[in-house]
Amino acid sequence: RTVVCGNPDCTPCMIGLVDARTHDVLRQRDEWQGTHPKGSPLRRTVFNEDHEAFRQTLRSFIEAEVTPHFEDWYEAGIVPREFYYKLADLCLFGITVDEQYGGAGLDSHKFEAIQSEEVMRAGVSFGGSSVHVGLCLPYIKMLATDEQKSRYLPKFVSGEEMWAIAMTEPGTGSDLAGMRTTAKLSEDGTHYVLNGAKTFITGGVHADRMIVCARTAPQREDDRRFGISLFAVQTSLEGYAVGRKLDKVGLKTSDTAELSFTDVKVPAEDLLGEENRGFYYLGQNLPSERWMIAFGAYAQAAAAVRFAKEYTQQREVFGKPVAAFQNTKFELAACQAKVDAAQAVADRALESLDAGELTPAEAASAKLFCTEVAGEVIDRCLQLHGGYGFINEYPIARLYSDNRVNRIYGGTNEVMKTIIAKDMGL
């Protein structure tokens, strides 16, 4: 046997190839078929060489800066604020931000997708930073004036100002039109007076700026959604208060908080977009938010299969590895098939999103399918870990807890079914 690439598990090397050119051709084929460890079970075309170079940089960063500290972060229930500056140094906050504001100026969600895959692969978390980029940046890019962008984006890219978004209120849940937080314009027109409360706010503890959804006018009889506006609120303003850091079932390192606003004076120049059109703006960004959840769920499922495969190959029962039993092989094979399907759905949605063609129904379908698949796959992979799968020391246990919320936030999966059914004309 001649090892050309240095990988002892490379299929072309295993069959004794000597010619390097032939080796590379067969290796590419095997990558498409999933027989080479660096490959994918399906031929994947969404990423190019630049994306893969970014993947390797990010993987090295995670190994050096995240994995050694993650257990401490998990116990503390929060990622250190200083860690976000390291993410900023990698330009993770500015990939799609124009160069004039300190970003890279790229127009693609593919780097965000790779980050999701690599974070899940390592069984770690970047805390609430996904909200900073995945949820808040689209609103800034879509709604901010040039003057606002010049104030917001440089600090956004550098990590000096971390952003989050506050939509949900106690008692409203998915019914955003029922929100009661108000923002009343002062008589001189210089500021809005913000009053109310929000809950389940991811990134709420570390946030320096909060996109707050509030009523600036009563709802109309024929339109409950009218009257909501968006504000980029500095969290240092008097009357702005962070309440409890909520103790969640999963996502332990992602700071989730309750917020309250008592006569907070928000400068008029921090209104995002037009008054009373906030609900429309929220609807515009929901497809990208739901794609992000769908892709993250697929990545979680793929990571679960990886964890289960590694564990069952190492764990011995009755004198042989758990992976040697037919039931284990069948279970992992079935899980891999489901991951393949979820990957195809997530990738298709990614391509549509980058092309500006992702519809609300397509995004809802991707979220519904990928999150349901992930729930099933992760559960089956945890079962293969036996009792150790129930111990938080093992990444599969944390993954099991983290995954559950995917079927709730970004719109519950029941809401996704309603959207899909409506698109079907039902």
Side-chain angles (χ1 to χ4, degrees):
R1 153 176 169 172
T2 302
V3 178
V4 176
C5 69
N7 190 327
D9 295 320
C10 176
T11 302
C13 291
M14 287 181 180
I15 62 176
L17 292 175
V18 177
D19 182 83
R21 187 173 182 275
T22 305
H23 165 274
D24 289 341
V25 171
L26 287 180
R27 184 179 65 181
Q28 291 176 17
R29 179 207 67 185
D30 288 341
E31 287 178 348
W32 298 338
Q33 296 175 348
T35 55
H36 190 281
K38 290 176 64 179
S40 169
L42 295 175
R43 179 175 179 178
R44 205 173 186 194
T45 59
V46 292
F47 300 126
N48 60 29
E49 292 182 358
D50 291 339
H51 298 129
E52 294 305 328
F54 171 77
R55 183 189 300 278
Q56 293 305 317
T57 298
L58 187 57
R59 187 173 296 184
S60 298
F61 171 82
I62 291 172
E63 291 174 352
E65 299 290 346
V66 183
T67 302
H69 310 292
F70 187 71
E71 294 298 331
D72 292 336
W73 299 350
Y74 186 83
E75 290 297 323
I78 196 168
V79 167
R81 177 64 176 83
E82 295 75 20
F83 173 67
Y84 292 141
Y85 290 110
K86 295 182 179 181
L87 296 182
D89 289 341
L90 281 180
C91 199
L92 294 187
F93 298 158
I95 291 175
T96 63
V97 175
D98 289 345
E99 294 182 43
Q100 68 185 98
Y101 303 117
L106 302 178
D107 186 20
S108 175
H109 291 267
K110 293 182 178 180
F111 295 94
E112 185 181 346
I114 290 171
Q115 177 179 319
S116 183
E117 287 184 329
E118 290 303 307
V119 167
M120 300 307 173
R121 177 187 179 275
V124 296
S125 167
F126 285 177
S129 65
S130 60
V131 171
H132 179 70
V133 176
L135 298 190
C136 297
L137 184 56
Y139 290 104
I140 302 173
K141 293 170 68 175
M142 178 176 69
L143 302 176
T145 64
D146 289 341
E147 184 277 330
Q148 287 175 322
K149 288 179 180 178
S150 66
R151 285 194 291 120
Y152 299 154
L153 288 175
K155 293 180 180 180
F156 182 101
V157 171
S158 69
E160 183 178 345
E161 281 192 351
M162 294 300 297
W163 286 58
I165 184 166
M167 291 185 278
T168 305
E169 296 182 3
T172 60
S174 297
D175 182 20
L176 291 179
M179 69 175 61
R180 298 180 179 179
T181 297
T182 61
K184 295 183 179 180
L185 185 63
S186 62
E187 292 185 1
D188 60 6
T190 60
H191 63 274
Y192 290 81
V193 180
L194 182 66
N195 283 283
K198 300 289 183 178
T199 192
F200 306 146
I201 309 307
T202 303
V205 175
H206 280 322
D208 303 290
R209 283 263 183 188
M210 182 69 63
I211 299 177
V212 178
C213 310
R215 280 210 164 275
T216 45
Q219 58 185 258
R220 294 171 175 168
E221 289 186 8
D222 61 341
D223 186 3
R224 295 181 64 243
R225 301 173 178 180
F226 175 82
I228 295 173
S229 301
L230 308 183
F231 299 90
V233 181
Q234 282 188 306
T235 61
S236 59
L237 292 175
E238 185 178 354
Y240 183 106
V242 178
R244 293 185 302 155
K245 182 172 75 68
L246 299 175
D247 184 17
K248 308 182 298 296
V249 170
L251 300 177
K252 293 291 188 180
T253 58
S254 178
D255 51 309
T256 304
E258 295 176 329
L259 308 178
S260 65
F261 319 113
T262 305
D263 294 332
V264 180
K265 294 181 179 180
V266 182
E269 55 265 29
D270 284 329
L271 170 70
L272 282 175
E274 299 178 21
E275 265 195 6
N276 304 325
R277 298 197 69 204
F279 203 100
Y280 168 77
Y281 299 141
L282 295 173
Q284 290 289 98
N285 278 330
L286 279 175
S288 64
E289 177 182 348
R290 287 165 180 165
W291 163 79
M292 183 175 69
I293 297 170
F295 202 95
Y298 139 69
Q300 287 178 320
V305 173
R306 174 175 178 261
F307 296 147
K309 178 184 175 183
E310 292 177 351
Y311 178 82
T312 56
Q313 287 175 328
Q314 298 168 4
R315 173 72 169 168
E316 289 195 0
V317 177
F318 303 119
K320 60 181 180 180
V322 174
F325 292 91
Q326 186 182 61
N327 178 69
T328 304
K329 296 176 182 179
F330 282 4
E331 284 292 292
L332 286 174
C335 287
Q336 183 62 59
K338 291 180 181 295
V339 169
D340 291 347
Q343 182 192 86
V345 169
D347 283 356
R348 185 184 69 175
L350 171 57
E351 293 282 30
S352 295
L353 182 63
D354 268 11
E357 300 172 352
L358 185 64
T359 68
E362 289 170 341
S365 179
K367 178 185 184 294
L368 175 64
F369 182 79
C370 291
T371 56
E372 294 289 345
V373 164
E376 181 180 349
V377 167
I378 294 169
D379 183 78
R380 294 171 77 171
C381 288
L382 185 148
Q383 187 73 18
L384 290 173
H385 282 70
Y388 288 105
F390 209 63
I391 305 301
N392 281 330
E393 178 183 344
Y394 285 76
I396 190 67
R398 298 195 292 261
L399 198 57
Y400 182 84
S401 300
D402 291 350
N403 170 261
R404 186 60 185 88
V405 75
N406 288 335
R407 285 173 273 170
I408 298 174
Y409 66 7
T412 66
N413 279 10
E414 289 71 27
V415 171
M416 299 304 101
K417 292 174 184 177
T418 301
I419 295 170
I420 298 165
K422 183 178 180 180
D423 186 68
M424 295 170 65
L426 299 174

